[in-house]
Amino acid sequence: MQICLIGAGNLATQLAPALAAKGHRFLQVYSRTESSAAFLAEILDCEAVTEPELIRSDADLYICALKDDALPTVLPLLKFGKGLLVHTAGTIPMDFLSSFTLNYGVFYPLQSFSKLRRVDFSKVPFFIEAAQPESLKLLRELASCLSENVIPTNSDQRKQLHLAAVFANNFVNYLYSIAEELVQEKGIDFKYLLPLIEETANKIQTLNPVEAQTGPAVRFDHVVMDHQLESLKNHPDWQHLYESLSRGIHERAIRQ
Amino acid sequence: MQICLIGAGNLATQLAPALAAKGHRFLQVYSRTESSAAFLAEILDCEAVTEPELIRSDADLYICALKDDALPTVLPLLKFGKGLLVHTAGTIPMDFLSSFTLNYGVFYPLQSFSKLRRVDFSKVPFFIEAAQPESLKLLRELASCLSENVIPTNSDQRKQLHLAAVFANNFVNYLYSIAEELVQEKGIDFKYLLPLIEETANKIQTLNPVEAQTGPAVRFDHVVMDHQLESLKNHPDWQHLYESLSRGIHERAIRQ
């Protein structure tokens, strides 16, 4: 497959080399930022372009991995020929692409990507969707060369997956950062929390999260909770979070 | 060391067999619940007791791993002799034990314990504290036979560790449960979120949580956030959490 890559952010920087390693050929990498395009183009051994108008119209596949708000400004400047255009975004409905070409779809790997942290795609689930059945087949083949988990999903499901990922990744990471600040305030190294964090994530590989729930809020233990709220008195926002999350945990436990 | 174990909950059920495997001998296990005491006593090859008054007074060490609110009712019924009394609780100050004996301390392994999930203690940090220097030495030796990380910590630091653990474990697990409900509402298996959850926890083994933070809230992306808030319209509590957590992430990012 001959591919044009539109975007050179975290996801593109992880996904494209993984596809190249499976024998797919990249023709071009587009990024508004010259250094990003050049960096990735060198890895992929292809051309770097910084003007959307320079993107070729003869590729088999266009993977658009831009930030959500860049799609409406970049895509109208391209000509797609017969190639399949896919985006990689959680929250953008597939039909958003219908005004640019007839052959379009979505290729959404659910993972948190950083430029410098190599991702093992074999475990990453790919959620795919396409306007044409033969394009869905093509996306399934493409994803299957990287991952065991390829799931056809509609735009409504994908939007919800992205929302769930915000809770399970972005918000979880923010709680880690609060925990880090709390221990650092008392001169304790954050590294001592890492085994607990690891175990918390590992536990739900075998238990469901409701079964795995422990802590003072499950039994609404006022003595411990009042002590802990008092310890947070210099952080009113965290106090407020503590109350909301504890109430949620308790209500979930009695709903069980 | 000859040990009486007071309590047979999740922590006791993991900790005591690990100590026994290192050659420490248990004399008795006390639990109000006969089946819990009997279950653990069989593993430890020792006596099970269900009345506090039956706990011997000639042990070298008393490990009190009761729920926080049981300590004030159980401990006054015991006689300790010369043995060292420790509790395993995060939020209870060491000095709480001073009314029961002169030789007391704290033995706090920071981990999330379940009865049926075997814990690898080698990575679990033990936070220790003692009223007498020779008891601190004894606790250091005891913890060191299980773990590489043994840290003398005062009660104020330990309280903060426990608070941080509530954020990093209990609250994180609750966010997992919200994510689970969200995907299940759209007929998607929660298992597809597990690689993301694993990567989120793994990432901060090398990056600090503020560096690792991604998602719409970092850049306060109103378009995505408003869409996601709209998707949560049937869950006003989660909508509220979404707003609080997003505001926190954004404020943390601009403080950087």
Side-chain angles (χ1 to χ4, degrees):
Chain A
M1 191 115 63
Q2 313 233 58
I3 307 174
C4 282
L5 180 64
I6 306 163
N10 295 352
L11 191 160
T13 303
Q14 292 294 330
L15 179 62
L19 287 171
K22 296 292 177 180
H24 296 290
R25 192 175 150 226
F26 284 82
L27 300 174
Q28 293 178 314
V29 178
Y30 160 81
S31 170
R32 194 176 56 169
T33 313
E34 192 167 354
S35 58
S36 301
F39 172 80
L40 196 48
E42 192 174 328
I43 295 172
L44 299 170
D45 191 21
C46 74
E47 184 190 3
V49 296
T50 55
E51 298 297 330
E53 294 83 351
L54 296 176
I55 298 173
R56 293 163 61 150
S57 61
D58 60 347
D60 301 314
L61 177 66
Y62 296 83
I63 299 178
C64 175
L66 296 168
K67 281 189 188 136
D68 290 12
D69 55 2
L71 270 71
T73 57
V74 172
L75 291 181
L77 304 172
L78 273 69
K79 293 192 181 61
F80 291 102
K82 290 184 188 159
L84 168 61
L85 167 66
V86 294
H87 74 65
T88 56
T91 296
I92 299 175
M94 178 177 72
D95 288 343
F96 172 80
L97 301 177
S98 66
S99 51
F100 307 114
T101 176
L102 294 174
N103 189 10
Y104 55 89
V106 179
F107 194 71
Y108 177 57
L110 182 64
Q111 189 48 286
S112 166
F113 297 100
S114 308
K115 276 198 180 167
L116 297 176
R117 200 177 147 79
R118 184 101 173 252
V119 168
D120 173 7
F121 278 99
S122 68
K123 296 198 293 178
V124 174
F126 280 77
F127 297 93
I128 57 171
E129 187 179 10
Q132 301 178 8
E134 60 270 34
S135 299
L136 190 70
K137 188 162 167 276
L138 186 148
L139 292 177
R140 185 191 289 276
E141 285 167 9
L142 187 70
S144 298
C145 81
L146 295 177
S147 171
E148 302 151 16
N149 288 312
V150 184
I151 308 103
T153 319
N154 64 37
S155 293
D156 184 49
Q157 290 175 309
R158 193 176 56 255
K159 190 173 71 173
Q160 191 88 339
L161 273 163
H162 187 218
L163 175 60
V166 166
F167 277 87
N169 169 262
N170 304 158
F171 292 168
V172 160
N173 186 74
Y174 177 56
L175 297 184
Y176 296 160
S177 78
I178 293 175
E180 181 186 37
E181 281 198 61
L182 286 172
V183 294
Q184 286 176 348
E185 276 177 9
K186 301 289 178 179
I188 299 164
D189 197 315
F190 178 59
K191 73 177 181 186
Y192 295 122
L193 285 173
L194 294 178
L196 177 68
I197 284 171
E198 199 183 339
E199 171 67 3
T200 307
N202 284 344
K203 220 174 212 180
I204 57 151
Q205 310 278 329
T206 51
L207 294 177
N208 77 49
V210 177
E211 292 168 341
Q213 190 69 59
T214 57
V218 177
R219 48 186 191 278
F220 223 67
D221 180 337
H222 274 292
V223 178
V224 172
M225 288 172 59
D226 289 349
H227 266 115
Q228 298 203 319
L229 283 167
E230 166 69 18
S231 298
L232 289 169
K233 63 178 185 292
N234 295 327
H235 302 285
D237 292 352
W238 298 349
Q239 238 177 4
H240 176 75
L241 266 181
Y242 185 100
E243 287 175 316
S244 305
L245 291 162
S246 296
R247 207 178 322 113
I249 289 173
H250 185 62
E251 283 166 7
R252 187 71 188 79
I254 54 182
R255 185 145 61 86
Q256 198 55 3
Chain B
M1 192 114 62
Q2 313 233 56
I3 306 174
C4 282
L5 181 64
I6 306 164
N10 296 352
L11 191 160
T13 303
Q14 292 296 328
L15 179 63
L19 287 171
K22 297 290 179 184
H24 296 289
R25 193 176 149 223
F26 284 82
L27 301 174
Q28 293 178 312
V29 178
Y30 160 81
S31 170
R32 194 175 55 167
T33 313
E34 191 167 356
S35 59
S36 300
F39 172 80
L40 195 49
E42 192 175 327
I43 294 173
L44 298 171
D45 191 20
C46 73
E47 184 190 3
V49 296
T50 57
E51 298 296 331
E53 293 83 353
L54 296 176
I55 298 172
R56 295 165 58 152
S57 61
D58 61 347
D60 301 315
L61 177 65
Y62 295 83
I63 300 178
C64 176
L66 295 168
K67 281 186 187 140
D68 291 11
D69 55 4
L71 271 71
T73 57
V74 172
L75 291 182
L77 305 173
L78 273 70
K79 293 193 181 57
F80 292 104
K82 289 184 187 159
L84 169 61
L85 167 65
V86 295
H87 75 63
T88 57
T91 297
I92 298 175
M94 179 178 71
D95 288 341
F96 173 79
L97 300 178
S98 65
S99 49
F100 308 112
T101 177
L102 292 175
N103 190 10
Y104 54 90
V106 179
F107 195 69
Y108 178 57
L110 183 66
Q111 188 48 284
S112 166
F113 296 100
S114 310
K115 276 198 180 166
L116 296 176
R117 203 179 144 79
R118 183 99 173 256
V119 167
D120 173 7
F121 278 99
S122 68
K123 295 197 295 178
V124 174
F126 280 76
F127 297 93
I128 57 171
E129 185 178 11
Q132 301 178 9
E134 60 270 35
S135 299
L136 190 69
K137 187 161 167 278
L138 187 148
L139 292 177
R140 185 192 287 276
E141 284 166 10
L142 187 71
S144 297
C145 82
L146 296 176
S147 171
E148 303 151 16
N149 288 312
V150 183
I151 309 103
T153 319
N154 65 37
S155 292
D156 183 50
Q157 290 175 310
R158 194 177 56 254
K159 189 173 73 170
Q160 191 88 339
L161 274 163
H162 187 217
L163 175 61
V166 166
F167 277 88
N169 169 262
N170 303 159
F171 291 168
V172 160
N173 186 74
Y174 177 57
L175 296 184
Y176 296 159
S177 78
I178 293 175
E180 180 185 39
E181 281 198 61
L182 287 172
V183 294
Q184 285 176 348
E185 276 178 7
K186 300 290 180 182
I188 298 164
D189 197 314
F190 178 59
K191 73 176 182 187
Y192 295 123
L193 285 173
L194 294 178
L196 177 67
I197 284 171
E198 198 184 337
E199 170 69 4
T200 306
N202 284 344
K203 219 175 214 181
I204 56 152
Q205 311 277 330
T206 50
L207 294 176
N208 77 50
V210 177
E211 291 169 340
Q213 190 68 60
T214 58
V218 178
R219 47 186 193 279
F220 223 67
D221 180 338
H222 273 291
V223 178
V224 172
M225 289 171 58
D226 290 349
H227 266 115
Q228 297 202 320
L229 283 167
E230 166 68 17
S231 298
L232 289 168
K233 63 179 182 295
N234 296 325
H235 302 285
D237 292 352
W238 299 350
Q239 237 176 6
H240 176 76
L241 267 182
Y242 185 102
E243 286 175 317
S244 305
L245 290 162
S246 296
R247 206 179 322 113
I249 289 174
H250 185 61
E251 282 166 10
R252 186 72 189 78
I254 55 183
R255 183 145 63 86
Q256 198 56 4

